Amino acid sequence: MSPRVCKACGCAEIDLDQARGNAVCTSCGSVLEDNIIVSEVQFVEGSGGVTSAVGQFVSSDGPEKAPLLGSGFHTSIGKESRAQTLQNGKRQIHQLGSQLQLNQHCLDTAFNFFKMVVSKQLTRGRKMAHVIAACLYMVCRTEGTPHMLLDLSDLLQVNVYILGKTFLLLSRELYINAPAIGEIKTHDH
């Protein structure tokens, strides 16, 4: 069987959640397949008399062995995918934000930006790391932290111009007025 590749971003890191019957790109959060059906099911008795279903998934890429379906097997309609995208985004924001030593307020604000990006479906076709970095940089600009886009570029080992392009697009689409670099927030009396 050939390895799965995301049609949206080209990433080969695909999370096949056999319990939910879906395949999700770990990079951009796109659902590649859902409602994966089972061709045959057998029931086996495990330790303590627990019965589990064992089957074989049938997908567009061909069969893939499913070790245990269990009682939690159900089809996904998209809410799980969005929730999973938000959960992964929050985790990545906290990881990258802690490396930048951002406070909890900044992390929460970045996550709010990320939720807006997801709700407007702006993650499609973009790498999740780039979107996360852009959301964090929006916070850095709006809160006036001393971080530069180059700091995020160095942490992620991504070209700064690619991150800049993502940042500009997302801030424009979300109508976020990010102050120019070097603008100091002062109150004249």
Side-chain angles (χ1 to χ4, degrees):
M1 183 174 85
S2 63
R4 293 175 189 246
V5 177
C6 178
K7 294 176 178 103
C9 70
C11 179
E13 295 179 27
I14 308 302
D15 179 28
L16 181 62
D17 189 343
Q18 296 172 338
R20 289 194 172 130
N22 64 11
V24 177
C25 175
T26 58
S27 177
C28 70
S30 295
V31 177
L32 304 178
E33 243 181 304
D34 62 354
N35 301 325
I36 301 173
I37 60 170
V38 178
S39 64
E40 65 180 67
V41 178
Q42 298 173 354
F43 294 92
V44 293
E45 188 173 334
S47 61
V50 176
T51 305
S52 297
V54 178
Q56 186 172 5
F57 280 103
V58 177
S59 71
S60 61
D61 294 336
E64 185 166 316
K65 204 62 171 162
L68 290 176
L69 299 179
S71 61
F73 180 77
H74 64 279
T75 58
S76 171
I77 302 178
K79 286 187 177 180
E80 289 87 359
S81 172
R82 186 172 188 276
Q84 187 176 25
T85 299
L86 291 174
Q87 184 179 12
N88 288 340
K90 188 171 194 172
R91 180 179 41 80
Q92 291 179 36
I93 284 170
H94 281 269
Q95 286 173 347
L96 193 57
S98 65
Q99 290 178 323
L100 294 171
Q101 298 178 340
L102 293 173
N103 63 31
Q104 190 61 45
H105 168 72
C106 289
L107 297 177
D108 292 342
T109 304
F111 182 60
N112 286 336
F113 287 151
F114 181 73
K115 287 191 288 190
M116 291 165 56
V117 167
V118 170
S119 71
K120 288 189 164 218
Q121 299 180 346
L122 298 171
T123 56
R124 290 184 179 173
R126 292 179 181 82
K127 292 193 175 192
M128 185 67 80
H130 298 178
V131 172
I132 297 296
C135 290
L136 284 166
Y137 189 58
M138 274 190 259
V139 170
C140 293
R141 293 280 293 272
T142 57
E143 296 293 321
T145 70
H147 300 95
M148 297 186 302
L149 192 58
L150 193 58
D151 297 329
L152 289 155
S153 171
D154 288 344
L155 283 174
L156 294 174
Q157 295 296 299
V158 175
N159 185 311
V160 71
Y161 293 108
I162 293 172
L163 290 183
K165 184 178 177 183
T166 304
F167 161 73
L168 289 173
L169 175 95
L170 295 182
S171 60
R172 184 179 70 237
E173 291 292 323
L174 298 179
Y175 302 102
I176 304 298
N177 184 18
I181 297 173
E183 227 178 81
I184 300 172
K185 293 180 180 179
T186 60
H187 300 286
D188 295 331
H189 295 285

